[in-house]
Amino acid sequence: MEHSKKTMYSSGDRKDSSADGGAVLNGHFDGMVKRPAVALPAEPGAHRATSSVMESWKEERTRSLEDNEMSLPSLAAAYTTILRGLGEDPQRQGLLKTPWRAATAMQFFTKGYQEKIIDVLNDAIFDEDHDEMVIVKDIDMFSMCEHHLVPIFGRVHIGYLPNKRVLGLSKLARIVEIYSRRLQVQERLTKQIAVAITEALQPTGVGVVVEATHMCMVMRGVQKMNSKTVTSTMLGVFREDPKTRDEFLTLIRS
């Protein structure tokens, strides 16, 4: 399937029913937070509840502003312990406020836990008789490697084929921000973005490509300064039709 027209921009609900009847949008539940069930030791012949098996990108993980205020002292105390463990003196002038600064910064780096996709999209989904490819590329992305707690940064390219509904363009960048501002691995981040758009719009297809530099590979470990990691998730016609997929990949590199 080829498309003669494209809409491109460069940047500088479908609700399912959960097993207990709660509404879910890409893992974000209205009301009580859903956690994976803790399985008790199994009796011979017993089966684990399937509801306890959830992929990590579907888990609800939220944090409120009140949680931030309550946890800030303990986070700052933890950074004080880290400074001492590194052989530093937390009482010297240059480090007196460092634990609080670091704790506040870490809360900002992970502020995606405080937001829900359903709140961000609100009334930004519009009925529109448009069925040609929409692409927003070069969306800046900053995240934190969940293995080493060091930065991941790069660009995200998003494309979708509308199915009578379109999303406000800035909301695509907001979706990236919500999922990137968490402790992440790039593979999961890429999939979360694609699934969120699919659940919100029910488009014909979605494609997401993430190109990123991982500081855990640059400033430690193998120390490869110019290495980049590229991940992609293709859903719907982007996965099924090679011509549509190739069109998307060609356009994000133009």
Side-chain angles (χ1 to χ4, degrees):
M1 180 173 70
E2 295 191 2
H3 301 276
S4 58
K5 299 179 293 180
K6 279 78 64 176
T7 306
M8 289 185 57
Y9 304 87
S10 180
S11 80
D13 47 277
R14 184 181 68 132
K15 291 188 177 180
D16 297 324
S17 294
S18 67
D20 56 2
V24 58
L25 182 69
N26 199 19
H28 295 273
F29 289 77
D30 254 345
M32 184 177 294
V33 173
K34 184 177 180 65
R35 301 287 184 190
V38 178
L40 298 174
E43 295 292 331
H47 297 283
R48 291 188 179 184
T50 55
S51 60
S52 67
V53 182
M54 297 179 64
E55 291 193 50
S56 58
W57 54 270
K58 285 189 175 181
E59 292 178 11
E60 167 70 341
R61 300 161 73 182
T62 59
R63 186 179 76 210
S64 68
L65 293 175
E66 290 76 15
D67 291 335
N68 281 353
E69 294 177 5
M70 292 177 63
S71 65
L72 190 58
S74 61
L75 276 174
Y79 276 110
T80 299
T81 301
I82 290 172
L83 289 174
R84 289 198 182 100
L86 294 174
E88 268 290 357
D89 175 14
Q91 296 304 311
R92 72 176 176 85
Q93 185 181 26
L95 295 177
L96 280 175
K97 295 183 179 180
T98 295
W100 288 90
R101 291 190 187 106
T104 303
M106 184 58 73
Q107 288 183 339
F108 179 82
F109 296 154
T110 60
K111 67 186 180 73
Y113 291 126
Q114 300 167 204
E115 299 176 287
K116 292 185 178 183
I117 293 294
I118 194 170
D119 296 332
V120 168
L121 298 186
N122 47 54
D123 56 355
I125 298 175
F126 307 100
D127 294 329
E128 193 67 42
D129 187 18
H130 182 78
D131 60 0
E132 300 295 340
M133 195 176 295
V134 178
I135 295 175
V136 179
K137 66 178 188 175
D138 297 327
I139 302 171
D140 291 329
M141 177 276 294
F142 299 93
S143 190
M144 295 288 287
C145 167
E146 68 178 32
H147 301 142
H148 304 96
L149 299 185
V150 293
I152 303 169
F153 60 92
R155 300 179 300 168
V156 179
H157 314 293
I158 299 173
Y160 72 94
L161 277 174
N163 184 18
K164 307 301 182 183
R165 294 200 302 173
V166 297
L167 183 63
L169 295 173
S170 67
K171 302 304 182 183
L172 294 173
R174 288 292 300 276
I175 290 173
V176 172
E177 186 77 358
I178 286 177
Y179 286 116
S180 64
R181 293 293 187 175
R182 302 181 179 192
L183 302 184
Q184 279 286 12
V185 294
Q186 186 173 328
E187 297 89 341
R188 182 172 66 235
L189 170 62
T190 309
K191 191 170 187 178
Q192 285 176 325
I193 294 169
V195 170
I197 296 168
T198 299
E199 290 183 341
L201 286 181
Q202 293 300 293
T204 305
V206 174
V208 177
V209 173
V210 179
E211 306 173 62
T213 297
H214 293 239
M215 295 308 292
C216 56
M217 286 183 62
V218 172
M219 64 186 298
R220 61 160 299 282
V222 294
Q223 300 182 63
K224 299 303 180 185
M225 298 293 294
N226 298 313
S227 64
K228 283 191 177 181
T229 302
V230 181
T231 51
S232 69
T233 296
M234 303 291 169
L235 302 177
V237 70
F238 281 73
R239 188 181 188 90
E240 299 161 1
D241 182 24
K243 290 184 178 180
T244 301
R245 182 169 59 251
D246 290 346
E247 180 183 3
F248 168 64
L249 295 174
T250 298
L251 289 171
I252 65 174
R253 285 169 173 76
S254 63

